[in-house]
Amino acid sequence: MLCTLGVLVLFSASSLCATQPRMIGPDGGDVRSLTYDPHNPDRILLGTSSGQIFESNDRGGTWQRFAHIGDNADYVVDHILFDPNDSRTIYVAVWSATNNEVGDLYKSHNGGKSWTSLSGMRGKSIRSLSMAPSNSRILVAGALDGVFKSTDAGDSWRRISPAGHKDIKDIESLAIDPKNPDVIYAGTWHLAWKSTDNGDNWHQIKNGMIDDSDVFSIIVDPQQPSIVFASACSGIYKSTSGGELFSKIQGIPFSARRTRVLKQDPNEEKVVYAGTTEGLWKTTDLGTTWKRVTAPNIIVNDVMIDPRDSKRVLLATDRNGVMVSNDAAGTFMVSNNGFTHRSVRALLVDRKDVNVMYAGMVNDKEFGGVFTSRDAGQHWSQMSKGLNGSDVFALAQDSQNNLVAGTNGGLFRMNAATKAWTPVVIPGAVKPHVADLQIQGKEWFVPTSAAMMYSHDNGRTWQTQRSPSKEPFTMVRVSGNRIAVASWHALLTSHDNGKNWGWMQAPAISLITGVAFDKDSQIWISSPQGIFHEKTAGGCEYVTTNDLPKGKITALDYDQHTGQLTAVVDSSNEVFASTDGRRWRAVHDVGFPVHKLVSNGSSMVALTMYEGLVSFDKTMSARLEEIDSSSNK
């Protein structure tokens, strides 16, 4: 029940956890860019789509967090440049994934310890960045509103494309002639352009190229600048006349021609790699013939070739993380030790062994599904056979300890004998979207996009409850015989383990974002409008929560181990705790946007939006003590 208004909530001396949260994987995910330090190619920087940069100091063998760019978690780090004359100088160009009209350009003078936003490009959605090979102080940046150039290492910038030009905009790729920095190539979302006089004049270079081609990448041969390669949505093109006439390269299937990156071997000029949406392709004769050198399901975002050893090739891929070859792309293996950029939406701690955990992924298709760890997150292995690339939103164990997964392609159960997932047939529900899942003995409660499904016999037979408003059911919580199932705006409840159901009078909220039972089996609800508590007489009442930061409360849970409510707010990376639901304190700064929390004995695991799982020690966090305020008078 609610505490009285006279209750005062205090913290011990330390309000935040003394130990640092630990990223515990699963390793892998999306990589946007790879760049080596020209003075020490063993050192490599990796860019993600959440503003994170990782670092490797052993040629990509292991990774660790290096820097976070910007204040938000939505910056796509597509371009990282080292100054070849002083590798303490690093440039990072970004654009926002949530508002792709904005972005920024950052510079570090101290090897990445601190970063400064360059005022001349502030706020611009920067999709391409190039440094003149002949002069590292010359930079050219491509933004949605044109081409910009700096001749003083980014201190000042000027527009070199005509302002408001109807075609020279949405600059997706750039290249600077390796011998003459006045010659600039710019690829747009509609063909390519070239300037030979430092941007004073531009002309379209499209002869031989299919009209309306998005030009993703342009490279200029350092030894023969008249040889230019351009990749586009319509294929890969080669020019021997500085772009004045292109010919389409043959030998790559049409479906694989969405080529995001081209890279020329720095030691073998006839070797060029093309990273496509259907694998990596390689030519050893400057584009006359091509061969695919990876599986077709590999989406390649960037290619990095070790300048000292061309046999070592690294790929930045979607979903599969970093891939490494030591035999000139003959074979590849993943190399994600320490790198995590995954969206985990489900975490289950084995009921018999807290060191065994199961994690459910979204957005990773055949590279995601379910991963398991038997050492509390130190190592993970994939166990997704039979899921067919489904996103996993919920995990549970049945009465026989078999795993059950709720996915966007229906309900699945793990077959212990075959180590494969098999569909659980729910009559009348064809591959329903299962957003949550609770199993208590033989009782199964499965909210789906169409109805609330429940079974009293371990999933053999099913009953249905539908929402009168036809809203999807999004989450379910169980406490003893009490069950609460949330739709967008309403709450379906049962007091007798699902034999009878009723609708709880809902508060005026825009969305139910969290449901929790406290130790007394009383219901708490979170929403963008705040937190609500079940009233004895029925319905819910608003709870004043002035201690929480402004923002949408995106998750609410109750931790039986500590007897505290926990909350996550979308404007903060912190975890908040309360013993009475009214007074809250930050108990941990996870360092990343958090989706939800799962208790694991003395530990808490945060499921982050983009960075996998983060674990921290609850026993070291500040304790909430309730002291009657009257005793202090």
Side-chain angles (χ1 to χ4, degrees):
M1 301 299 293
L2 283 178
C3 302
T4 63
L5 292 178
V7 169
L8 179 66
V9 182
L10 299 177
F11 274 80
S12 58
S14 173
S15 63
L16 294 180
C17 180
T19 58
Q20 290 294 317
R22 296 180 299 111
M23 296 180 70
I24 61 172
D27 292 341
D30 291 352
V31 182
R32 298 291 300 190
S33 55
L34 292 167
T35 308
Y36 63 81
D37 181 338
H39 288 273
N40 176 20
D42 285 352
R43 183 190 181 206
I44 303 170
L45 297 185
L46 175 161
T48 72
S49 56
S50 63
Q52 295 289 342
I53 297 178
F54 285 74
E55 180 186 42
S56 174
N57 289 297
D58 56 7
R59 306 177 75 202
T62 59
W63 302 90
Q64 55 275 333
R65 274 191 297 157
F66 176 68
H68 182 268
I69 300 299
D71 297 327
N72 300 318
D74 67 342
Y75 272 158
V76 180
V77 184
D78 275 346
H79 299 279
I80 306 172
L81 298 181
F82 282 94
D83 186 331
N85 298 312
D86 182 1
S87 58
R88 293 173 300 177
T89 300
I90 310 172
Y91 302 88
V92 175
V94 298
W95 56 277
S96 169
T98 55
N99 179 9
N100 57 28
E101 297 291 325
V102 301
D104 225 322
L105 179 59
Y106 291 87
K107 181 179 181 179
S108 175
H109 295 278
N110 51 18
K113 295 179 181 178
S114 61
W115 298 86
T116 302
S117 171
L118 298 181
S119 58
M121 298 299 292
R122 190 166 296 154
K124 294 186 180 297
S125 181
I126 303 173
R127 304 306 179 94
S128 50
L129 182 68
S130 185
M131 179 183 291
S134 58
N135 186 347
S136 65
R137 293 182 62 81
I138 297 177
L139 300 167
V140 179
L144 296 187
D145 59 341
V147 183
F148 299 81
K149 186 173 184 178
S150 172
T151 58
D152 53 12
D155 290 342
S156 62
W157 293 82
R158 70 179 183 92
R159 180 192 296 275
I160 60 172
S161 62
H165 196 283
K166 67 182 182 66
D167 290 316
I168 309 180
K169 61 178 182 177
D170 304 327
I171 311 300
E172 184 69 22
S173 55
L174 289 166
I176 303 174
D177 187 294
K179 298 180 179 180
N180 182 1
D182 289 343
V183 177
I184 302 167
Y185 298 85
T188 77
W189 295 350
H190 177 69
L191 298 173
W193 294 74
K194 179 180 180 180
S195 173
T196 59
D197 54 9
N198 198 29
D200 291 339
N201 296 279
W202 294 83
H203 65 280
Q204 197 170 55
I205 48 175
K206 65 176 184 178
N207 291 333
M209 189 177 291
I210 293 176
D211 197 20
D212 202 26
S213 293
D214 297 358
V215 180
F216 301 122
S217 180
I218 302 174
I219 59 173
V220 182
D221 190 306
Q223 303 303 322
Q224 304 178 70
S226 60
I227 297 177
V228 178
F229 287 91
S231 68
C233 58
S234 58
I236 301 175
Y237 298 87
K238 178 184 177 182
S239 172
T240 58
S241 57
E244 300 306 324
L245 177 63
F246 285 100
S247 59
K248 183 185 287 189
I249 287 174
Q250 304 301 313
I252 296 180
F254 180 80
S255 59
R257 287 176 180 171
R258 193 171 180 86
T259 303
R260 187 169 184 269
V261 60
L262 295 170
K263 282 292 176 72
Q264 191 169 24
D265 189 320
N267 303 308
E268 299 286 342
E269 67 168 342
K270 291 185 177 181
V271 175
V272 179
Y273 292 95
T276 80
T277 53
E278 289 194 1
L280 180 73
W281 295 75
K282 178 181 179 180
T283 176
T284 57
D285 51 18
L286 269 180
T288 301
T289 59
W290 291 82
K291 178 184 178 182
R292 182 157 51 195
V293 290
T294 66
N297 64 340
I298 303 297
I299 298 174
V300 182
N301 294 320
D302 201 2
V303 179
M304 198 205 86
I305 305 161
D306 192 317
R308 304 159 302 182
D309 177 10
S310 293
K311 291 184 178 181
R312 188 166 178 85
V313 180
L314 277 68
L315 305 182
T317 76
D318 272 2
R319 306 184 181 103
N320 206 34
V322 179
M323 298 180 65
V324 176
S325 173
N326 290 310
D327 55 7
T331 58
F332 281 92
M333 60 182 179
V334 296
S335 185
N336 294 320
N337 186 7
F339 164 68
T340 299
H341 182 62
R342 291 189 183 271
S343 185
V344 182
R345 285 297 175 269
L347 179 67
L348 174 68
V349 180
D350 190 277
R351 63 166 64 108
K352 292 185 176 181
D353 185 351
V354 296
N355 290 312
V356 177
M357 298 188 293
Y358 307 94
M361 311 292 130
V362 299
N363 302 327
D364 283 343
K365 297 188 181 297
E366 68 269 33
F367 300 108
V370 177
F371 284 75
T372 181
S373 172
R374 299 191 176 278
D375 52 14
Q378 294 183 55
H379 303 89
W380 293 86
S381 58
Q382 190 180 20
M383 48 181 300
S384 301
K385 182 181 178 181
L387 290 177
N388 304 318
S390 297
D391 291 339
V392 178
F393 294 96
L395 292 166
Q397 286 173 298
D398 66 13
S399 58
Q400 303 300 315
N401 289 330
N402 296 308
L403 288 176
V404 182
T407 79
N408 62 342
L411 195 64
F412 291 82
R413 178 159 34 192
M414 170 63 74
N415 186 313
T418 64
K419 302 298 182 183
W421 296 90
T422 58
V424 176
V425 178
I426 304 178
V430 180
K431 293 185 177 181
H433 182 110
V434 179
D436 202 1
L437 173 66
Q438 290 283 305
I439 298 178
Q440 186 171 267
K442 294 183 178 181
E443 313 291 332
W444 291 33
F445 304 100
V446 183
T448 77
S449 52
M452 169 60 193
M453 314 297 299
Y454 59 102
S455 171
H456 297 300
D457 56 9
N458 214 31
R460 287 191 290 273
T461 63
W462 294 87
Q463 299 180 58
T464 302
Q465 283 287 328
R466 298 189 183 277
S467 169
S469 62
K470 298 182 178 180
E471 292 181 353
F473 289 98
T474 58
M475 65 188 77
V476 59
R477 298 291 181 267
V478 178
S479 178
N481 289 326
R482 291 209 69 188
I483 305 157
V485 190
S487 65
W488 287 340
H489 302 100
L491 204 65
L492 177 67
T493 64
S494 173
H495 292 264
D496 52 14
N497 213 31
K499 292 182 176 62
N500 297 283
W501 297 89
W503 290 93
M504 176 178 287
Q505 181 181 350
I509 59 176
S510 59
L511 181 69
I512 296 176
T513 60
V515 178
F517 282 109
D518 64 17
K519 60 181 174 58
D520 299 315
S521 292
Q522 297 296 296
I523 297 173
W524 294 77
I525 297 173
S526 65
S527 73
Q529 287 71 39
I531 293 177
F532 296 80
H533 181 258
E534 181 180 13
K535 295 190 296 186
T536 303
C540 294
E541 64 177 347
Y542 176 70
V543 179
T544 303
T545 55
N546 293 329
D547 294 328
L548 289 174
K550 292 182 179 180
K552 183 174 82 172
I553 301 170
T554 56
L556 182 71
D557 290 284
Y558 183 77
D559 186 354
Q560 297 286 347
H561 182 77
T562 62
Q564 300 173 13
L565 287 163
T566 58
V568 174
V569 182
D570 68 354
S571 61
S572 173
N573 294 336
E574 294 176 313
V575 174
F576 297 86
S578 172
T579 55
D580 68 350
R582 296 181 182 274
R583 297 175 184 267
W584 296 80
R585 292 293 186 272
V587 294
H588 278 282
D589 188 339
V590 175
F592 310 105
V594 178
H595 173 69
K596 65 183 294 187
L597 301 166
V598 173
S599 178
N600 184 14
S602 61
S603 298
M604 183 71 79
V605 181
L607 283 63
T608 70
M609 297 298 291
Y610 314 107
E611 317 303 335
L613 300 172
V614 177
S615 176
F616 51 88
D617 189 352
K618 285 190 298 188
T619 61
M620 296 298 293
S621 64
R623 295 182 177 180
L624 293 166
E625 299 180 68
E626 294 184 313
I627 302 175
D628 193 316
S629 59
S630 61
S631 66
N632 294 327
K633 294 181 181 178

